[in-house]
Amino acid sequence: MISRRDFLRLGLGTAAGVYVGGKLWAGSGGSAFGAVKPAVTLTAPTKDRLQVLSVRGTHAEIGKAIGGELGMDTQAFIYEQRKWFQGLKKYARSRDGKANLSRMRKAAEKHTPQAMAELTAWSSACGVSMDEMFILNCKNEIDAFSNSQRGCPGCSSVALKNEKGIWLLHNEDGHPANEGRMFLLDAKPAGGSAFVSHTYPGLLSGNASWLNEHGVFMTCNYIPSAKVKAGIPRYFLYRQAIEARSVEAAVELYTHPERAFAGHHFIGSMVSRELVSLEFTPDKHSLEKVEGLSWHTNHLVHKSMAAECQIDEYITESSAPRYARLAELLGVAKPAEVTPEQIQKVLSDHESTPTTICRHAPPDPRGMTLGQARFEAGAKPVRPFAAKYIKGFPCEGKWESYSL
């Protein structure tokens, strides 16, 4: 049963389309992509399944499809977050802000032109200026430049590798304004790699979990680094990394020497059965292979990164308590005996409100768990590759499979 909110949003946002078999097909009144229109399909959400936007075309055509079909969600998110967004714009108008944003934009245009083309078309189709869309997609760097990083909720991840295979489960946490507006982008860029990616309204895909046609998959954890530089914004590198053909290629993109900010990623392969943990700041990185159980929240934990400067308030308020709770629940587990169902139960934990692993809003109005991703691979690759997602709280939902 589709909710009234979802029905109204989809109905208003796609009036030019026609529903056939639960899917929306662009009609003659849809967005014009030129003489030959790319394939664009919007599958309506259900109680348990995410809405899925399927697009085949150039990067610009993918961006235009997102903006045309789901642009109202981008506008609504910005409106609901307008006070916070005005703060980003205020920094962007300052002397330092203008200089830093200009350098970051030039870096994005030079090193990630496909991501820029996608965002530019998204902007045009959804009616939000490119300057504003660029600011939104540089929000982490702007917060760091303006010393505005504050304690707030974040994501939690658990990775497992044993003789039976590899598993990666991840709670995607974000502001409640994203609730009901996140979608799964099922894209096949012309000349690029097909992928599915859990996507936020207004933000380039790659900031949340993804899986591509090469069997490479990824989860992401924000890191409150005190270091930032006017290089390639993280969301632009993340969008580029979605199409990586191997774990090694993804690592190379995330650690680009011109990167602007910090991050953590679990990256794996359903083909090679590799599973790694990557931490980085603008000028240093650490790569560790996952053997047995590994978990991560929103601060650096690799020994080689211990000296890197982070925002203590962010860590002590939310990330450290969640990490400690994961260690308490998983530290005595035997990796050979752990199942993904047990990991899901751990990621559904509600101990220590409001800094819980599975977070509801309220009691914490700043953030909530928006969904859960699951990736796995056994002894042999199984095609077609598929990602599993729980829509909403992992304590209440069930996994649904999405194949490439």
Side-chain angles (χ1 to χ4, degrees), residues 166 210 212 214-218 241 243-255 265-278 287-290:
I166 59 173
W210 53 258
N212 70 26
H214 309 292
V216 182
F217 56 89
M218 183 282 317
E243 299 182 49
R245 293 176 173 268
S246 65
V247 170
E248 182 181 7
V251 170
E252 185 176 352
L253 281 164
Y254 289 131
T255 57
H265 302 277
F266 279 121
I267 313 166
S269 169
M270 295 181 179
V271 177
S272 66
R273 294 179 72 248
E274 295 172 86
L275 190 56
V276 302
S277 174
L278 172 68
L287 184 68
E288 295 184 355
K289 290 184 178 180
V290 173

Side-chain angles (χ1 to χ4, degrees), residues 157-159 266 293-297 301 322-324 326-328 330-331:
S157 311
V158 178
F266 279 121
L293 275 165
S294 180
W295 51 90
H296 213 287
T297 52
V301 297
R322 281 183 287 118
Y323 188 85
L326 287 171
E328 180 183 349
L330 296 169

Side-chain angles (χ1 to χ4, degrees), residues 159-195:
L160 169 66
K161 183 174 183 179
N162 59 29
E163 292 182 356
K164 300 174 185 177
I166 59 173
W167 290 266
L168 175 58
L169 281 78
H170 173 84
N171 279 8
E172 189 65 40
D173 286 51
H175 194 277
N178 294 295
E179 185 184 14
R181 296 190 173 114
M182 295 191 71
F183 62 98
L184 199 70
L185 179 61
D186 170 20
K188 172 58 179 173
S193 302
F195 63 87

